[in-house]
């Protein structure tokens, strides 16, 4: 299919509300999110999308109740272990975008390392899991790294700056899908989403499936990306011109 995005990113939002609608604890919403994650990975893989990024845990999410944070750490570990071989078999290179310093439990960090190493040579698709991720933190760490290397100010360009971000080979995001109806960035891949198209399906993440993903791809193909230029005239044909004004203003 032509006109597909090269890099799709999902802000997987709405787990808590999904659970609340069922009068169950928020953790049940997180548990139910796994099926959506796997469906979307499979859909992106089938569509031939080369780059897929999923926002799983933000630097701000550490502020949630301890029990919920602990549950999320355990859940991510279980998902990583359970699906590692499937991801590898599909030729998916997996990597994590987040701080390695870190508050992540050591055994989870080890599983993340193992998955990253196992799949490092795969080329069909790159799956980036933003986990303990903050867009501002990445920008600050790039600035620190430039300063540490003694790069002279006149050599700091958008290109050289981007090379100091984590995973600098990551292309700009073309399409961000944020589920649950919330319409904000929430500190997600701030540098990389500079010119992304955004979609806000009114679906809670645990209910999001391949069909919704395909709908977003389809809508993306109908968007005109201008990057600050001027649109093709045909695209503005349906937009009413303002009524002609007469007289002096
Ligand atoms: C997204 O769902 C999952 C994470 C942020 C880890 P939420 O937990 O934010 O769900 P809502 O927004 O409260 O419904
Ligand atoms: C963003 O969702 C983070 C993830 C989806 C992992 P949040 O639910 O944490 O964001 P806010 O609080 O609505 O901005
Ligand atoms: Mg949320």
């Amino acid at each position: 299919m032509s006109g597909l995005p090269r890099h799709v990113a999902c802000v997987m939002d709405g787990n808590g509300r999904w659970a609340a609608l069922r009068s169950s604890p928020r953790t049940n919403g997180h548990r139910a999110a796994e099926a959506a994650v796997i469906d979307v990975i499979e859909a992106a893989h089938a569509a031939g999308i080369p780059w897929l990024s999923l926002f799983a845990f933000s630097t701000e999410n550490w502020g949630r109740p301890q029990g919920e944070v602990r549950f999320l750490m355990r859940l991510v570990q279980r998902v990583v272990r359970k699906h590692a071989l499937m991801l590898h078999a599909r030729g998916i290179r997996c990597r994590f975008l987040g701080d390695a310093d870190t508050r992540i439990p050591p055994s989870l960090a080890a599983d993340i390392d193992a998955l990253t190493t196992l799949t490092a040579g795969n080329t069909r698709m790159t799956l980036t899991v933003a986990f303990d991720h903050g867009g501002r933190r990445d920008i600050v760490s790039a600035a620190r790294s430039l300063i540490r290397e003694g790069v002279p100010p006149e050599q700091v360009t958008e290109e050289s700056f981007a090379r100091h971000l984590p995973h600098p080979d990551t292309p700009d995001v073309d399409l961000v899908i944020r589920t649950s109806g919330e319409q904000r960035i929430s500190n997600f891949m701030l540098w990389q989403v500079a010119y992304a198209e955004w979609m806000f399906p009114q679906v809670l993440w645990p209910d999001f499936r391949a069909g919704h993903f395909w709908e977003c791809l389809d809508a993306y193909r109908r968007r005109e990306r201008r990057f600050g230029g001027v649109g093709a005239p045909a695209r503005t044909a349906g937009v009413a011109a303002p009524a002609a004004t007469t007289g002096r203003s």
Side-chain angles (χ1 to χ4, degrees):
M1 206 195 287
S2 65
L4 286 176
R6 184 168 170 226
H7 186 177
V8 180
C10 298
V11 180
M12 310 187 289
D13 200 11
N15 300 352
R17 278 161 282 166
W18 186 94
L21 284 171
R22 288 157 182 79
S23 309
S24 70
R26 294 176 56 82
T27 47
N28 282 346
H30 297 315
R31 197 178 280 121
E34 178 183 349
V37 169
I38 299 306
D39 228 47
V40 165
I41 293 172
E42 285 178 346
H45 181 265
I49 304 287
W51 297 83
L52 176 69
S53 298
L54 301 177
F55 197 8
F57 193 86
S58 73
T59 45
E60 291 74 23
N61 289 150
W62 291 108
R64 294 191 177 197
Q66 260 194 18
E68 182 171 343
V69 170
R70 260 201 308 272
F71 181 90
L72 284 165
M73 296 295 139
R74 279 200 302 271
L75 179 68
V76 170
Q77 183 159 31
R78 201 170 56 76
V79 169
V80 164
R81 286 184 178 172
K82 183 170 155 193
H83 299 289
L85 291 179
M86 176 277 283
L87 294 165
H88 185 44
R90 288 183 184 200
I92 299 174
R93 172 171 66 153
C94 302
R95 56 196 199 178
F96 284 72
L97 176 65
D99 202 359
D101 64 14
T102 113
R103 286 175 275 185
I104 294 173
S107 72
L108 170 55
D111 286 335
I112 286 174
D113 274 354
L115 177 63
T116 305
T117 307
L118 173 72
T119 62
N122 292 338
T123 55
R124 169 80 197 248
M125 179 171 109
T126 298
L127 170 66
T128 303
V129 181
F131 187 71
D132 188 13
H133 161 74
R136 282 186 171 177
R137 187 174 59 186
D138 285 355
I139 289 171
V140 169
S141 92
R144 281 189 182 153
S145 146
L146 282 159
I147 293 165
R148 220 179 288 120
E149 288 179 17
V151 178
E154 60 281 6
Q155 282 177 28
V156 179
T157 61
E158 291 188 13
E159 290 72 27
S160 70
F161 192 91
R163 281 197 295 275
H164 287 77
L165 290 166
H167 302 315
D169 59 332
T170 308
D172 280 355
V173 176
D174 298 303
L175 168 62
V176 186
I177 301 167
R178 181 167 186 154
T179 54
S180 87
E182 301 292 0
Q183 303 189 1
R184 56 180 163 268
I185 299 183
S186 300
N187 200 16
F188 179 53
M189 294 180 91
L190 294 180
W191 181 276
Q192 297 88 343
V193 301
Y195 246 108
E197 298 292 320
W198 285 76
M199 289 184 197
F200 303 101
Q202 296 285 337
V203 181
L204 301 171
W205 179 259
D207 291 327
F208 196 74
R209 287 294 177 274
H212 301 109
F213 187 77
W214 285 102
E215 279 169 24
C216 291
L217 293 186
D218 205 40
Y220 173 88
R221 294 171 69 226
R222 282 181 271 113
R223 293 239 180 129
E224 185 192 33
R225 303 185 74 189
R226 296 203 194 107
F227 298 100
V230 290
R235 302 290 298 219
T236 53
V239 180
T245 50
T246 52
R248 280 178 292 246
S249 54

